[in-house]
Amino acid sequence: KPAVPSVPSAVTEPPPVAAAAPPPAPAASEPAIQHPIEEPVAAATAEAPRTLDQSEGVVVQALSALLGSKPGASMVRRDDFVRRAVVTIDNLGRAHAAPRLWPVNPMAGKFGVEPANGKEVISQANSVRYSAFVAFAESLDSARAATLYKQNYPLFQAAYKELGYPRAYFNDRVVAVIDQLLATPEPAGPLAVKLTEVKGEVASTQPWTRYEFADPKLEALPAGSKALLRMGPENSRKLKAKLREFRAAIASGPGKN
């Protein structure tokens, strides 16, 4: 019989390999905390942390323990203190800090100016308006204030999250703002100011609230630094000393000069 030609077997090709899916994008990590607040040992055995809205009595009690009957204690606004403190500290590092949100009452009197060499400068008497507040701040025990702040830190962090910073760490913001304040320049001599130009025919009923620094560099400083400048050099130096004390108690690493 004639030979039957062999039929080549079908070549089986391996099934196509699906391209490997790219690895999932890493989830946004929490920003690294620079200045952590350690939970006090005593707090571990305390009752469950209160929510921000339930903490009013606890905060008022802590403030009373810190302030006592010191002259000037009435300057502190104790209603919703934590939220007021958080929003004001955050705003002191920005362009504007609204007085209606401050945790302290605004100083009495009007911002004073006087003529000098054809310009208007901040009156030297203006610093007197801040003397009582500065004396009150100096009288506070910085270490005790820092301890109370740490013990109630979860409330401050909750208020900061509520303010719109869910992934940021409030104590890092506190230290950053303190560093901005400590970096406030200390110019020699009276500081020149000018009225902010307001276009329109309606006259301002409070022109003393419209002054700004004539030096653009000073006017560009954050709200907290401009407040220190308005207080006068001596008051500014005293408050900076208290800020250094508080910073040393809440921050990791060396402080700013």
Side-chain angles (χ1 to χ4, degrees), residues 114-245:
E114 59 189 18
N117 300 323
K119 300 179 181 179
E120 285 188 302
V121 300
I122 298 177
S123 171
Q124 294 183 0
N126 191 64
S127 61
V128 177
R129 294 177 57 222
Y130 300 94
S131 297
F133 173 76
V134 173
F136 166 66
E138 284 190 299
S139 72
L140 296 177
D141 186 327
S142 300
R144 190 175 183 186
T147 297
L148 291 174
Y149 166 68
K150 292 175 183 179
Q151 289 174 344
N152 293 281
Y153 183 75
L155 300 176
F156 291 93
Q157 182 63 36
Y160 195 47
K161 181 177 181 180
E162 182 182 272
L163 189 61
Y165 304 99
R167 296 174 54 245
Y169 195 67
F170 178 63
N171 196 54
D172 286 350
R173 180 60 177 163
V174 174
V175 175
V177 171
I178 289 177
D179 288 346
Q180 283 183 314
L181 295 173
L182 294 179
T184 302
E186 299 180 5
L191 296 175
V193 293
K194 62 180 181 179
L195 281 171
T196 304
E197 181 181 359
V198 178
K199 296 182 180 180
E201 299 179 357
V202 180
S204 174
T205 58
Q206 294 181 313
W208 59 88
T209 65
R210 290 175 39 214
Y211 279 99
E212 62 183 43
F213 290 103
D215 185 340
K217 293 182 180 179
L218 297 183
E219 184 58 29
L221 291 172
S225 293
K226 289 192 285 188
L228 286 178
L229 291 172
R230 289 193 296 269
M231 293 180 186
E234 185 62 26
N235 286 333
S236 176
R237 283 190 288 269
K238 291 177 179 179
L239 287 181
K240 284 182 177 182
K242 293 301 292 185
L243 289 171
R244 289 188 186 96
E245 291 178 2

Side-chain angles (χ1 to χ4, degrees), residues 52-73:
L52 197 55
D53 290 328
Q54 296 172 332
S55 65
E56 189 84 359
V58 175
V59 173
V60 170
Q61 184 178 1
L63 287 172
S64 298
L66 174 66
L67 305 179
S69 57
K70 293 181 182 296

